[in-house]
Amino acid sequence: MGIKIHGIPHSGATLRVLAAAEEKELDFELVPVDLKSGAHKQQPFLSLNPFGQIPAFEDGDNKLFESRAITQYIAHTYESKGTSLIHKGKQIIDVGIWMEVEAHQFDPAASKLLWELIYKSFFGIEIDNAVVEENETKLAKVLDVYEARLATSKYLGGDSFTLADLHHLPALHNLSGTKVKHLFDERPHVSAWCKDILARPAWEKVVALLKQA
Amino acid sequence: MGIKIHGIPHSGATLRVLAAAEEKELDFELVPVDLKSGAHKQQPFLSLNPFGQIPAFEDGDNKLFESRAITQYIAHTYESKGTSLIHKGKQIIDVGIWMEVEAHQFDPAASKLLWELIYKSFFGIEIDNAVVEENETKLAKVLDVYEARLATSKYLGGDSFTLADLHHLPALHNLSGTKVKHLFDERPHVSAWCKDILARPAWEKVVALLKQA
């Protein structure tokens, strides 16, 4: 049976799941999905994710989709393996808050910037500078709050690396190659946090997969 | 000390937290936030939520923001009170998936429709019909997947009502008064699910608060 991650490393959501799997030192098979032929919008993929999006995840009989549901499954199911990503007591509250912040404050602006600054050029579509500017301003405001948080807490969820940090890795990696990199660099605590979590050995393994892709 | 919910019933995110508090039969104080005067963008509110958004939540020394982090805190902290909203084993996987579906598939389309069809008229801003049409199409596709899911499962997370259902309540309530109501009505399992969860006594208490507001 084993663990299968259906997706491709060029998908940020797939990278998020790969990061969790590498932190937990899991053996897994990365099963490529042929997006060009629309394999994700057809069976058998739709039986793994009825929304037709990558990644999808199989662990024996357990089938999951939605990247952040998968990372939480991995963290709980393989609690005793690799990096501890589950926390108790007070820290669980902060991890919960900052996972939601990633999803509802950081990701909307970051995703729009990634679409404009990376994926559009890949597809040969013209960049909309008004959208870039609007979301650069939004992301700057979000990162101001991160800067204050990270001035008093080494990681977003507390003293140790958690899923609240991990969920950011694909966007941090991809945005660091774009013109909005300065938003991270000019905030010292945000910059140190990015440098720290992007240098994690598990993430370096994920980046190696991305470079092979 | 006690529980304080800082927000107003006209905010969907506040309603989501009120729904969880009522399901758990908690005693709480609803502390109004004067959005007109911008109280949410100033201290002392910013010390509760640095993003300056309602709701914020206090339970003694525990301070939270982000509505879905608060509902999960309530469900776990008050596990033994009121409706059981925490599940074990296989169901926890499905609840995790469908909470993410609400946040990343349902909510983006639903929020844009609520903005166009309800809040804009409140502020006297003209509706953008292209945005309505685009998001009506998106929501219809999401609800097609819900219809298939609810044909084999009474609730999104399994046989019983969970946070995966509860998180939808504010949008279901508010959209039911708009022209996109037909999207729900014309899908029999979605329609039955809406009718069921909107009739929950805890939700009726929340609606009573909204009517008083």
Side-chain angles (χ1 to χ4, degrees), chain B residues 41-114:
Chain B
K41 300 296 181 191
Q42 298 161 36
Q43 292 296 359
F45 189 84
L46 288 175
S47 67
L48 291 171
N49 182 355
F51 292 98
Q53 294 170 347
I54 55 171
F57 182 86
E58 290 185 273
D59 183 5
D61 286 341
N62 292 329
K63 295 177 201 304
L64 287 87
F65 57 95
E66 286 290 335
S67 65
R68 296 168 185 86
I70 300 169
T71 61
Q72 292 183 72
Y73 168 86
I74 289 173
H76 282 89
T77 307
Y78 298 99
E79 193 169 352
S80 59
K81 289 197 70 167
T83 307
S84 173
L85 295 170
I86 296 299
H87 301 276
K88 306 284 178 197
K90 188 98 178 167
Q91 193 175 3
I92 214 169
I93 298 174
D94 287 333
V95 174
I97 293 170
W98 290 91
M99 282 202 295
E100 292 295 323
V101 167
E102 183 276 328
H104 296 284
Q105 308 288 343
F106 176 87
D107 188 68
S111 290
K112 288 199 187 76
L113 288 167
L114 288 167

Side-chain angles (χ1 to χ4, degrees), chain A:
Chain A
M1 309 280 277
I3 293 174
K4 290 180 184 174
I5 298 173
H6 300 261
I8 58 169
H10 286 294
S11 131
T14 303
L15 291 178
R16 191 177 285 125
V17 170
L18 290 171
E22 293 289 5
E23 289 287 352
K24 285 297 182 183
E25 300 168 11
L26 303 185
D27 287 323
F28 62 86
E29 181 189 353
L30 178 59
V31 185
V33 179
D34 186 358
L35 302 188
K36 272 189 192 161
S37 73
H40 54 311
K41 300 296 181 191
Q42 298 162 36
Q43 291 297 0
F45 188 85
L46 287 176
S47 67
L48 291 172
N49 181 356
F51 292 98
Q53 294 169 347
I54 54 172
F57 183 85
E58 291 185 275
D59 184 6
D61 286 342
N62 292 329
K63 296 176 201 301
L64 287 87
F65 56 96
E66 286 289 335
S67 64
R68 297 169 185 83
I70 299 169
T71 60
Q72 292 183 73
Y73 169 87
I74 289 173
H76 282 88
T77 307
Y78 297 99
E79 194 170 350
S80 59
K81 290 197 71 169
T83 307
S84 173
L85 295 171
I86 296 299
H87 301 274
K88 306 285 179 197
K90 189 97 178 171
Q91 194 174 4
I92 214 170
I93 298 174
D94 287 333
V95 174
I97 293 170
W98 290 91
M99 284 202 294
E100 291 295 322
V101 167
E102 182 277 326
H104 297 284
Q105 308 288 343
F106 177 86
D107 188 68
S111 290
K112 288 200 186 76
L113 288 167
L114 289 167
W115 171 246
E116 292 293 335
L117 300 175
I118 296 184
Y119 297 106
K120 268 191 168 179
S121 72
F122 187 76
F123 294 115
I125 311 173
E126 204 181 339
I127 290 174
D128 184 334
N129 286 314
V131 173
V132 173
E133 209 172 307
E134 182 193 341
N135 287 285
E136 200 172 333
T137 304
K138 280 188 187 170
L139 186 58
K141 284 184 187 166
V142 171
L143 293 180
D144 283 342
V145 178
Y146 278 43
E147 182 66 9
R149 170 68 181 166
L150 293 166
T152 60
S153 178
K154 188 171 180 193
Y155 296 97
L156 290 176
D159 293 338
S160 60
F161 177 80
T162 68
L163 288 181
D165 308 296
L166 182 146
H167 287 176
H168 292 78
L169 283 168
L172 296 182
H173 174 84
N174 287 323
L175 288 175
S176 72
T178 73
K179 68 169 190 162
V180 301
K181 180 176 186 292
H182 72 96
L183 294 177
F184 301 92
D185 293 345
E186 65 204 17
R187 291 172 173 81
H189 295 97
V190 167
S191 175
W193 169 72
C194 289
K195 203 173 163 186
D196 178 341
I197 68 175
L198 288 168
R200 294 181 66 81
W203 182 250
E204 287 180 347
K205 285 184 194 167
V206 175
V207 173
L209 282 172
L210 180 56
K211 284 183 179 160
Q212 286 163 28

Side-chain angles (χ1 to χ4, degrees), chain B residues 108-110 112-113 116 130-140 183:
Chain B
K112 288 199 187 76
L113 288 167
E116 292 294 333
V131 173
V132 173
E133 209 173 306
E134 181 193 342
N135 286 286
E136 200 171 334
T137 304
K138 280 187 188 171
L139 185 58
L183 295 177

